[in-house]
Amino acid sequence: MLSALLALAAILLTGCGRPPVAEQEPAGVLFVYVALPGWQIQQPDNLDAVIEDLDLLRQPFRELHPAVRIQFIPFAEDQLIQQVRRRNWEGLGPDLLLVTDRMARDLRRLDLSRPATAPAELVSQLDPLALRQLRAPDGQLAGLPVFLQTEQACFNRSLLPESPANLKALLQTSAAGLPVGLSLVPQDLAWLLGGFGADGAIAAAARGEVPSRQGRAALVQMLQWLADANLQERVLLFTAKEPMLKRFASGELAWIPCRSDNLTLLRRSLGDDLGVAALPRGPGGEASPINTLRVWAFGRNSSARQQRTAERWASFSISPVVQRRLTLQTTGNLPVNLQLPVPVESSATLRTLEATRQQAGLGPQAEALFRIDNERLAHLRRVINDVTYETVAPEAGADQLLEALIAGAREAQR
Amino acid sequence: MIAIVQEIATSVGYLERPAVGLQLLVVALPLLVGSGIRRWQGIATPMGRWRRPIGLGVALLGLLALKLAGIPHGFGVFLLLLVMGWEALNPLDRLLARCMPPEPRAQLMSSLIRPLYLLAAAGALLDQLQNVRDLALLPLTLLGNTLTVGQLFLAVLLVYLVLVGSGPPAAGLAWLARRTLGLTQSSQRAMALIFRYTVVGLGLLLVFSNLGLNATAVVAVAGGLSVGLGFGIKEIFSNFVSGLWLLFEGSVRPGEVLMVDGDPCEVRSLGLRAAVLWRDRDNAELVIPNQTFFTESTVTYTRSDRLRRSELMVGAAYRHNPEQVIPLLEAAAREVEGVLPEPPPRAFLVGYGDSAINYSLRFWIANPMRNVSVRDGVGRAIWTTFASHGIEIPFPQRVLHHPATESGSGGA
């Protein structure tokens, strides 16, 4: 028993006798939670690809500060808030979290994270649009932007020399014998809205407003197109993203919509056959892809040393040189530091991603879709499935979608 | 494997957080001090039996103080719940004692319940510090197959559960078989063993097939093993096969009584390597390799039934008519507890000795292990009967022939 007491005392006293704060070299263990879609967590290959990208931030920092250990702990996005709440209660919360901008705001709102801090000159170099998403009314930042992920088309060059430029050409491609994939997950289908001019209607409904007649008609047209596409033999509709990516990676599909965070994994399977292009436009306008901002949120349980190390590393990750290196080596993550422009001349993929970033901005439908709670999202998914498989007519489906969005928005406003 | 260890080892990084250290102190200190209260200056303290509840109570108060101070305390609550769960196994043990015999209960607690609790506790602790689902997906290579840590862990757990936990279900099945098929108790025990081996074998096959182990690699390993079998472990394998054969053959089963070095011994268990026999005369347990029974002749009293014929030799003086002695011997044996009425005890005149007429009293007993005590009873009954009927058991005698006395002249 005496030896156990002595051991306990030794553990507790390890924090004493430290040199002055300003002179402390970053050291110790940082626990970094990485929020990912549920399906990515369950696939070791996908997880590997994500960690491989993040290692581009970790390794150079460790080379400069060998006493630092950074451990990534992945969690499903829908479990993260609950996990952070529990672990904060235990004192075992993360030092940093890599989350979307929306999740960072939620964490801050629930007081599960602390305001983000970084040197002012670095913050001034960041994308003002991104910062606007994260700034709270009191001026503090809910998180620190790290990189941007875009949405575009991925195609297999060995099957398809060029990506279709519009939706008509896309259906013609499938009619010519090349299978294409579409995901029915609402967030993955949102790019279609702009092509039919229906993005405004969705955005209005998500604000609790009744959309215009033209907006409704545009939505009906989009749903009709989906139902018609489903009738084509080689248009494959997936209710989840992961099987679509798997089949594309194995060469069974010629074209899919994809996100830039999938590129590392797809490149492993397809190599130089992987092509990236803008999403096809529709009869009503350009596609409306949604950008995702990945953000560092700061945990509440860190020791003083862990806080300092976390802030140093987060600042390191948004420095121009590190951002440029990340962009060039992953060609899937765009920088948020605008000090150095994206080297679009060096890569067609980067050129496409940058063009997509400009095209998407952070449009109204993006904000609208990400404001929807999970239950309502599940309802939207069911309606889309019903329309696609013609158990519900597009007009009725459009009404159901809009009603669900309006009701959800009004409930949230109460 | 190194990656997994490294991942888990980084958890020590939590210790630099003051809140975590405080929680550890608040929970561990009272429990450690409480554990030391058992004895003070070599004398058992009256409050020794309350040391654990006191420790838990103080820890709880400490956590309450942390809560009131606004310091994170959930980890301390978790640790305290783990300790309380462990303590709750003691009342469970006492509850099981009401319906289970001591030996199986002790084995259940030590081989199954406590280890499973420790495993669950370790898993829960790891989940507090890391994400167990993520750790379970870490890849491993085993015999040319890629599997995950989770798969390997489940496989090992299943194997352990099958090995340890297959006993009671097998015993239950054997009991059912005995009730329905009318088997003897020793057959029931043999059947329980067979069931157990079958469950273990099937369980192992299932685990290996789920792991998707490369058959070529397994064959290669088996090929290597066969060389080892030929040299180093052939005895072990021989004992294992002998044990299986004996089980199926039914010649040596738990409950059987065998003669070992002149002593009746009861077979207690038949294991993979050796059988354990109990010797009554000195309460010794003999561990005899299975192949001994396989290669040497064995004397058993319980192969067909459990009856044993015992025998006692006694001499009566020449002057007593055998027609009088024999019925007395048989009657004496019939009165002794443990002597079976059927077949009835029989006495025989077996020889004319130097000092007495020798009789053999043969009687049957139901339990071969009780031979010595029943013979003792019969022997005493014979003495009493002879004494009451004036039958002499003579000492060794010599007749001296004096030459002078035989020729008729005087002399002593």
Side-chain angles (χ1 to χ4, degrees):
Chain A
M1 189 202 72
L2 185 61
S3 53
L5 281 173
L6 286 172
L8 188 61
I11 289 168
L12 295 170
L13 288 171
T14 49
C16 297
R18 300 212 147 265
V21 168
E23 297 166 23
Q24 284 195 31
E25 175 72 1
V29 182
L30 281 189
F31 297 97
V32 180
Y33 290 5
V34 180
L36 294 169
W39 63 268
Q40 265 190 316
I41 295 279
Q42 287 159 15
Q43 299 298 320
D45 288 344
N46 279 299
L47 221 44
D48 274 348
V50 170
I51 302 296
E52 189 181 304
D53 285 352
L54 293 176
D55 262 337
L56 294 169
L57 298 176
R58 175 167 59 179
Q59 278 308 111
F61 189 74
R62 287 207 64 209
E63 280 164 17
L64 292 174
H65 308 287
V68 171
R69 267 198 67 93
I70 299 171
Q71 191 188 10
F72 296 123
I73 305 177
F75 283 99
E77 281 173 349
D78 56 356
Q79 300 284 319
L80 186 79
I81 300 274
Q82 179 195 344
Q83 289 284 344
V84 173
R85 183 177 283 126
R86 176 173 69 83
R87 288 165 190 242
N88 278 2
W89 173 64
E90 293 173 341
L92 300 174
D95 300 301
L96 275 175
L97 302 101
L98 183 65
V99 293
T100 61
D101 51 343
R102 181 196 178 198
M103 292 180 76
R105 289 199 302 271
D106 286 342
L107 286 167
R108 191 70 200 100
R109 181 174 51 83
L110 296 168
D111 203 26
L112 295 175
S113 65
R114 57 186 174 88
T117 53
E121 66 269 24
L122 260 181
V123 174
S124 65
Q125 294 170 3
L126 300 180
D127 186 346
L129 269 177
L131 288 174
R132 198 180 69 195
Q133 292 294 108
L134 295 164
R135 206 171 284 285
D138 60 4
Q140 290 179 326
L141 286 171
L144 206 60
V146 192
F147 46 79
L148 192 77
Q149 291 167 337
T150 58
E151 192 179 12
Q152 57 284 315
C154 289
F155 64 100
N156 189 333
R157 284 184 207 279
S158 67
L159 299 174
L160 193 62
E162 254 184 30
S163 178
N166 55 56
L167 293 176
K168 188 176 173 187
L170 180 66
L171 292 183
Q172 283 169 348
T173 300
S174 81
L178 292 172
V180 302
L182 288 172
S183 167
L184 293 180
V185 176
Q187 296 96 318
D188 298 329
L189 210 50
W191 64 271
L192 268 178
L193 293 167
F196 291 90
D199 46 341
I202 293 292
R207 285 193 301 269
E209 300 162 9
V210 176
S212 64
R213 203 181 300 171
Q214 292 89 338
R216 182 188 172 279
L219 185 60
V220 170
Q221 201 183 359
M222 188 202 98
L223 292 173
Q224 184 65 59
W225 183 88
L226 256 185
D228 292 341
N230 190 32
L231 294 173
Q232 291 218 5
E233 189 185 344
R234 289 182 193 83
V235 174
L236 303 175
L237 301 179
F238 295 86
T239 52
K241 193 162 180 183
E242 192 257 331
M244 182 179 75
L245 283 171
K246 217 178 219 177
R247 288 183 72 169
F248 179 74
S250 66
E252 292 173 51
L253 297 173
W255 184 99
I256 58 167
C258 63
R259 303 200 62 81
S260 59
D261 54 322
N262 305 137
L263 294 181
T264 303
L265 183 69
L266 294 175
R267 213 170 275 122
R268 279 185 189 176
S269 304
L270 296 171
D272 290 337
D273 284 341
L274 176 65
V276 172
L279 285 161
R281 78 179 82 85
E286 295 290 331
S288 51
I290 296 180
N291 292 338
T292 307
L293 189 62
R294 302 291 271 181
V295 153
W296 290 126
F298 289 76
R300 299 199 71 87
N301 289 154
S302 308
S303 65
R305 184 171 75 167
Q306 284 170 328
Q307 272 185 35
R308 279 192 304 278
T309 306
E311 284 161 13
R312 286 280 287 271
W313 186 47
S315 303
F316 176 84
S317 71
I318 60 172
S319 63
V321 171
V322 174
Q323 289 264 294
R324 188 183 177 91
R325 182 182 167 174
L326 181 75
T327 302
L328 285 172
Q329 294 197 353
T330 62
T331 54
N333 298 309
L334 292 181
V336 292
N337 191 319
L338 304 180
Q339 186 81 350
L340 291 174
V342 176
V344 296
E345 325 74 38
S346 64
S347 157
T349 302
L350 282 178
R351 208 157 38 242
T352 305
L353 298 191
E354 180 62 17
T356 308
R357 168 173 40 192
Q358 306 294 344
Q359 178 189 357
L362 287 157
Q365 74 282 359
E367 189 52 40
L369 272 172
F370 289 109
R371 213 184 290 139
I372 301 171
D373 60 66
N374 287 338
E375 194 187 320
R376 215 157 296 278
L377 219 49
H379 178 68
L380 294 184
R381 193 194 284 243
R382 279 194 296 275
V383 171
I384 292 169
N385 282 352
D386 288 343
V387 169
T388 308
Y389 291 96
E390 295 187 324
T391 55
V392 167
E395 292 81 7
D399 289 336
Q400 287 180 29
L401 278 174
L402 293 171
E403 278 164 20
L405 286 170
I406 292 169
R410 288 179 181 171
E411 208 175 287
Q413 283 160 11
R414 272 200 288 271
Chain B
M1 189 59 84
I2 296 174
I4 302 158
V5 173
Q6 279 177 341
E7 293 259 341
I8 298 172
T10 53
S11 304
V12 295
Y14 287 113
L15 291 174
E16 72 171 84
R17 297 180 180 185
V20 173
L22 260 178
Q23 289 176 83
L24 283 175
L25 194 69
V26 157
V27 171
L29 192 60
L31 293 174
L32 286 172
V33 170
S35 295
I37 292 179
R38 274 176 300 173
R39 303 184 77 82
W40 179 252
Q41 292 179 340
I43 304 167
T45 60
M47 57 185 285
R49 55 189 285 254
W50 294 103
R51 66 188 188 282
R52 197 48 70 88
I54 290 171
L56 287 170
V58 170
L60 200 58
L61 286 173
L63 290 174
L64 196 59
L66 288 182
K67 179 180 162 69
L68 293 172
I71 296 171
H73 55 281
F75 187 50
V77 169
F78 168 79
L79 290 175
L80 199 61
L81 285 173
L82 281 187
V83 173
M84 287 167 70
W86 180 257
E87 293 297 321
L89 293 180
N90 291 332
L92 174 66
D93 192 21
R94 288 193 285 275
L95 196 68
L96 286 174
R98 293 188 194 175
C99 48
M100 280 181 79
E103 202 181 305
R105 176 180 52 84
Q107 201 185 7
L108 182 69
M109 287 300 293
S110 64
S111 301
L112 199 62
I113 294 180
R114 287 190 190 275
L116 276 181
Y117 182 84
L118 285 176
L119 195 62
L125 180 63
L126 196 58
D127 199 37
Q128 306 302 307
L129 305 173
Q130 302 287 332
N131 181 357
V132 163
R133 285 177 191 81
D134 170 49
L135 286 176
L137 290 176
L138 288 174
L140 279 176
T141 306
L142 187 69
L143 295 177
N145 270 57
T146 304
L147 41 128
T148 63
V149 169
Q151 281 178 312
L152 184 64
F153 172 79
L154 271 176
V156 170
L157 181 66
L158 273 171
V159 167
Y160 180 79
L161 285 175
V162 158
L163 285 174
V164 169
S166 56
L173 274 173
W175 175 83
L176 203 64
R178 184 183 166 202
R179 292 295 294 259
T180 50
L181 302 173
L183 302 170
T184 61
Q185 197 168 23
S186 59
S187 295
Q188 176 189 337
R189 288 185 210 165
M191 194 152 275
L193 263 175
I194 292 171
F195 281 146
R196 196 168 172 195
Y197 285 166
T198 307
V199 167
V200 168
L202 287 175
L204 288 176
L205 277 174
L206 189 68
V207 164
F208 288 148
S209 75
N210 274 347
L211 286 178
L213 282 181
N214 187 344
T216 311
V218 172
V219 165
V221 171
L225 264 181
S226 65
V227 175
L229 282 174
F231 291 100
I233 59 172
K234 74 173 175 67
E235 299 291 341
I236 298 172
F237 196 67
S238 169
N239 282 321
F240 173 69
V241 172
S242 302
L244 283 179
W245 198 271
L246 289 171
L247 257 182
F248 281 107
E249 188 190 43
S251 54
V252 175
R253 294 176 292 187
E256 300 267 351
V257 176
L258 309 176
M259 292 300 286
V260 178
D261 297 332
D263 289 305
C265 301
E266 184 182 345
V267 178
R268 285 286 168 90
S269 63
L270 186 61
L272 291 173
R273 182 191 75 84
V276 176
L277 285 80
W278 171 66
R279 187 168 62 195
D280 183 26
R281 68 172 166 83
D282 55 0
N283 198 32
E285 283 183 318
L286 312 179
V287 181
I288 301 177
N290 293 334
Q291 66 174 347
T292 307
F293 301 105
F294 207 70
T295 56
E296 296 173 10
S297 60
T298 311
V299 175
T300 173
Y301 285 107
T302 49
R303 183 71 177 90
S304 311
D305 55 45
R306 292 185 69 83
L307 301 181
R308 177 181 176 173
R309 195 187 71 176
S310 191
E311 182 185 27
L312 198 64
M313 299 296 292
V314 65
Y318 272 92
R319 66 176 187 279
H320 303 296
N321 189 339
E323 298 302 332
Q324 182 194 9
V325 172
I326 285 174
L328 284 176
L329 285 173
E330 290 172 353
R334 275 197 295 273
E335 298 304 316
V336 174
E337 188 193 340
V339 173
L340 294 174
E342 282 297 324
R346 295 293 305 276
F348 300 95
L349 192 162
V350 292
Y352 291 97
D354 291 342
S355 310
I357 300 176
N358 296 323
Y359 297 92
S360 166
L361 175 58
R362 295 166 187 183
F363 50 93
W364 291 84
I365 61 177
N367 184 351
M369 298 299 290
R370 291 197 58 212
N371 181 51
V372 171
S373 58
V374 175
R375 278 184 88 234
D376 164 71
V378 169
R380 290 193 221 183
I382 291 172
W383 189 95
T384 307
T385 303
F386 276 14
S388 62
H389 288 85
I391 307 290
E392 182 195 357
I393 304 174
F395 288 104
Q397 298 178 8
R398 288 285 180 268
V399 176
L400 298 176
H401 295 279
H402 195 270
T405 309
E406 283 179 1
S407 65
S409 59

